[in-house]
C-alpha cells in the first residue's frame, strides 16, 4: 500500500515521536463506529479519545500502531483494538494489511491467525530464542536499552526490531518469534496483542512477573519467559 504524498505531522513526546492525520482520522472512525453500536461503553485511545464506561466495558484502541513503518512504507503497521471488563481484556483483534494478517482472540477461547488456531513456541531455550524488541522515544532511556541489548545478544539466537508492538506480540502467539520485550509501551500497544499471545499459550508480564505496564512488557512461552525475565 502506498502512503499518501503529503502528511500533517504532530510531534508527541519527542522529535522522533509523531502522529499523522491518518492516526487521528482512523481513531475518529473507529470510535464513531463503536459508540454508534455501544453508546454506553468506555473508550481509551492513543490519539486522545476518552470516555468513561457506563456498561462496564471499555475499548482500548491503537488506530495505527507502527506509524513510522506506515510513513516509510514498511510492513507491520496495524490497527489494534481490544475490549476489557473489570477482570481484564476479553477480546482483541489486530489487523496488519501490509502483511495480510488478521489475529483475534476471545478470553478463554484461544487465538487465531486468518481464521486458523495458533500456538506459541514452547518450550524454547534462551540460546535458541529469536526475540524482538523496540526502543523508547525517550533518548536517555534508549541509551540504557542499548546497553541491555549488548548484554543479551550473546545469550540468544538473534534479535529483531520490527517496529510495531501489537504485531510482535501476535508473532509470538503464532510462533514466528519466540519472545518479545519492550519498555515504555502504553496500554493500547499491548492490550489486544497481549490477549492474543496469552490465548495462544504465552505468558505476558511486567518486571518481576506482575502485570505488563509502561515500565516493561515481556512476552514468551512459559519456559522462555522464565529465563528471559531476570535478564531484562
Amino acid at each position: 500500500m502506498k502512503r499518501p504524498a503529503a502528511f500533517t505531522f504532530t510531534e508527541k513526546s519527542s522529535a522522533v515521536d509523531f502522529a499523522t492525520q491518518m492516526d487521528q482520522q482512523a481513531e475518529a472512525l473507529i470510535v464513531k463506529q463503536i459508540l454508534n453500536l455501544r453508546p454506553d461503553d468506555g473508550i481509551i485511545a492513543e490519539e486522545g479519545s476518552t470516555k468513561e464506561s457506563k456498561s462496564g466495558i471499555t475499548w482500548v484502541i491503537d488506530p495505527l500502531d507502527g506509524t513510522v513503518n506506515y510513513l516509510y512504507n514498511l510492513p507491520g503497521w496495524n490497527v489494534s483494538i481490544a475490549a476489557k471488563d473489570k477482570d481484564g481484556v476479553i477480546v482483541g483483534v489486530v489487523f496488519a494489511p501490509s502483511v495480510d494478517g488478521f489475529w483475534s482472540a476471545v478470553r478463554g477461547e484461544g487465538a487465531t491467525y486468518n481464521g486458523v488456531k495458533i500456538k506459541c513456541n514452547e518450550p524454547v531455550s534462551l540460546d535458541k530464542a529469536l526475540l524482538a524488541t523496540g526502543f523508547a522515544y525517550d533518548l536517555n532511556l534508549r541509551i540504557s536499552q542499548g546497553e541491555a541489548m549488548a548484554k543479551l545478544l550473546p545469550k540468544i539466537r538473534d534479535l529483531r526490531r520490527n517496529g510495531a508492538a501489537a504485531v510482535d506480540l501476535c508473532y509470538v502467539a503464532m510462533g514466528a518469534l519466540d519472545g518479545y520485550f519492550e519498555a515504555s509501551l502504553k496500554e493500547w500497544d499491548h492490550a489486544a496483542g497481549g490477549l492474543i499471545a496469552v490465548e495462544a499459550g504465552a505468558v505476558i508480564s511486567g518486571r518481576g512477573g506482575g502485570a505488563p505496564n509502561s515500565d516493561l512488557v515481556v512476552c514468551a512461552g512459559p519456559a522462555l519467559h522464565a529465563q528471559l525475565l531476570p535478564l531484562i
Side-chain angles (χ1 to χ4, degrees):
M1 180 180 291
K2 295 291 186 181
R3 65 181 185 270
F7 291 93
T8 300
F9 298 102
T10 303
E11 187 173 314
K12 293 165 79 174
S13 63
S14 75
V16 294
D17 182 14
F18 48 83
T20 71
Q21 76 268 29
M22 302 306 290
D23 299 72
Q24 296 151 1
Q25 290 172 10
E27 179 168 303
L29 176 63
I30 293 166
V31 170
K32 179 181 178 181
Q33 293 297 318
I34 289 173
L35 293 182
N36 279 346
L37 295 171
R38 299 184 59 89
D40 291 332
D41 288 0
I43 299 289
I44 298 171
E46 181 178 19
E47 301 306 322
S49 299
T50 182
K51 179 179 179 291
E52 187 174 350
S53 176
K54 297 179 181 178
S55 67
I57 301 296
T58 298
W59 295 83
V60 184
I61 302 162
D62 194 338
L64 207 171
D65 175 45
T67 300
V68 174
N69 286 32
Y70 179 79
L71 287 170
Y72 281 83
N73 206 27
L74 293 170
W77 56 270
N78 63 86
V79 178
S80 174
I81 303 174
K84 67 177 183 176
D85 62 12
K86 62 181 179 60
D87 298 317
V89 179
I90 55 176
V91 63
V93 295
V94 174
F95 177 49
S98 61
V99 296
D100 192 28
F102 181 81
W103 295 266
S104 65
V106 176
R107 188 168 66 198
E109 297 185 15
T112 65
Y113 168 63
N114 290 346
V116 178
K117 286 278 189 178
I118 53 176
K119 285 291 182 184
C120 70
N121 295 332
E122 172 68 15
V124 178
S125 61
L126 185 67
D127 63 326
K128 298 296 191 297
L130 179 63
L131 306 179
T133 192
F135 298 100
Y137 290 115
D138 183 294
L139 298 182
N140 292 322
L141 183 53
R142 284 187 170 200
I143 295 172
S144 63
Q145 288 176 321
E147 294 168 349
M149 295 308 99
K151 294 177 181 177
L152 183 63
L153 272 171
K155 297 180 170 65
I156 63 174
R157 182 189 296 276
D158 210 343
L159 186 68
R160 298 289 182 264
R161 200 277 197 249
N162 297 314
V167 163
D168 276 334
L169 289 164
C170 291
Y171 281 163
V172 173
M174 65 187 294
L177 291 168
D178 298 312
Y180 165 74
F181 61 95
E182 188 167 350
S184 296
L185 293 182
K186 303 298 186 183
E187 184 179 11
W188 48 75
D189 292 311
H190 62 79
L195 177 67
I196 292 164
V198 167
E199 288 296 322
V203 176
I204 185 169
S205 80
R207 199 178 305 278
N213 54 41
S214 60
D215 176 51
L216 184 66
V217 173
V218 180
C219 182
L224 179 59
H225 185 275
Q227 298 170 74
L228 187 59
L229 188 60
L231 301 176
I232 304 302

